[in-house]
Amino acid sequence: MLVLLPPSEGKAAAGRGAPLKPESLSLPGLAGARAAVLDGLVELCAADEEKARVVLGLSEGLRGEVAKNLELRTAGARPAGELYTGVLYDALNLASLDTAARRRAGKSLLVFSGLWGAVRVGDRIPPYRCAMGVKLPGLGALGAFWREPMAEVMPEAAGDGLVLDLRSSAYTAAWKPKGAVAERTASVRVLHSQLVDGVEKRSVVSHFNKATKGRMVRDLLLAGARPKGPAELVTALRDLGYVVEAEAPARSGRTWELDVVVTEIH
């Protein structure tokens, strides 16, 4: 099982260990593209702080993030699973997993990134600010920039098993499964169900959507679940107590779309 995750804007401080070693990152086929984005980002931030702030979509209060990007080659790195601190990662809580579940996480979780393309949770990277929606001078929109290199490496990374796609829309732009891989891919939407005047109403709640996905991945890792495809994933999630609605795609070469329905928000 390969689980595709979005990154988070929230990140821990730089680590105390060695700085970034690009050659040590997973998916070495992305090395050239990573170097190009890293060079472009550092050049942007070194040349004009205000322009960099605008290009990166940062508020005035986050201006200091521009300076952090200048230290990408020298700042202490830490495992990606520790670096990302957003809602999904708080719910996933990798640090509290048992040894076997952490081992499964290292093999199955892949985090998409505007700067790195994609990294595994054990890859050591420094704090950065560069979302997939950024249009970097000289490279253009990063979602489009990453499509070709990601298309080269992702089929091999996906292997012949299930791909559980939990990315947000900005990050799906960098790679969309095709053909046989698409047929083994399932995306998840979290719906909040509540009764209003006796009638069920369903809605998507962003914060809760992320938290539920984090807990769902955590539960799968702890259970040692190994679904081979979307249908087996539905069974595994139901066995774990989730309410899941799903139908097989009507046409071949399409991904499965799963709805996880919840009644409580926390």
Side-chain angles (χ1 to χ4, degrees):
M1 176 174 67
L2 181 68
V3 183
L4 310 182
L5 299 175
S8 66
E9 290 188 3
K11 298 178 181 68
R16 296 182 179 179
L20 171 72
K21 296 180 179 179
E23 68 278 5
S24 70
L25 299 180
S26 302
L27 306 180
L30 298 178
R34 286 169 175 155
V37 179
L38 179 59
D39 288 346
L41 180 59
V42 172
E43 181 178 343
L44 167 70
C45 294
D48 186 329
E49 181 183 85
E50 177 60 18
K51 178 180 178 181
R53 184 186 70 80
V54 173
V55 169
L56 296 176
L58 302 175
S59 66
E60 183 63 37
L62 292 175
R63 178 180 292 273
E65 297 294 300
V66 175
K68 289 183 180 179
N69 281 343
L70 294 176
E71 301 173 354
L72 284 169
R73 295 188 176 94
T74 58
R78 64 170 67 218
E82 297 178 10
L83 181 73
Y84 297 114
T85 60
V87 173
L88 187 153
Y89 293 90
D90 289 345
L92 176 54
N93 198 357
L94 287 169
S96 69
L97 293 176
D98 59 46
T99 301
R102 285 200 301 271
R103 188 180 304 116
R104 296 182 196 110
K107 294 179 179 178
S108 63
L109 305 187
L110 194 65
V111 185
F112 272 60
S113 162
L115 175 53
W116 312 114
V119 293
R120 297 197 182 276
V121 291
D123 287 340
R124 297 179 61 85
I125 55 177
Y128 68 95
R129 184 64 74 134
C130 185
M132 190 66 80
V134 166
K135 293 182 179 180
L136 207 57
L139 298 180
L142 292 178
F145 170 82
W146 281 111
R147 284 174 196 158
E148 184 174 343
M150 294 301 291
E152 292 292 326
V153 304
M154 282 305 298
E156 181 179 354
D160 57 3
L162 168 73
V163 177
L164 175 53
D165 191 352
L166 302 180
R167 297 173 295 165
S168 53
S169 58
Y171 291 87
T172 60
W175 181 68
K176 294 183 179 180
K178 296 181 179 179
V181 178
E183 294 175 3
R184 300 194 307 273
T185 299
S187 62
V188 173
R189 180 176 62 167
V190 179
L191 299 178
H192 177 218
S193 173
Q194 56 184 330
L195 290 178
V196 179
D197 296 329
V199 179
E200 183 191 27
K201 300 291 185 180
R202 292 183 175 183
S203 59
V204 176
V205 183
S206 177
H207 176 101
F208 184 60
N209 169 64
K210 295 175 182 177
T212 300
K213 288 178 177 178
R215 286 191 290 268
M216 183 176 67
V217 174
R218 178 183 176 83
D219 289 343
L220 289 168
L221 292 171
L222 285 171
R226 296 181 179 180
K228 296 180 179 179
E232 292 86 349
L233 173 64
V234 172
T235 299
L237 289 173
R238 288 173 176 167
D239 288 345
L240 289 169
Y242 290 90
V243 177
V244 183
E245 298 177 355
E247 291 185 4
R251 297 168 57 184
S252 61
R254 298 293 182 91
T255 63
W256 285 54
E257 296 181 358
L258 278 55
D259 285 340
V260 174
V261 184
V262 297
T263 56
E264 297 181 359
I265 294 180
H266 60 90

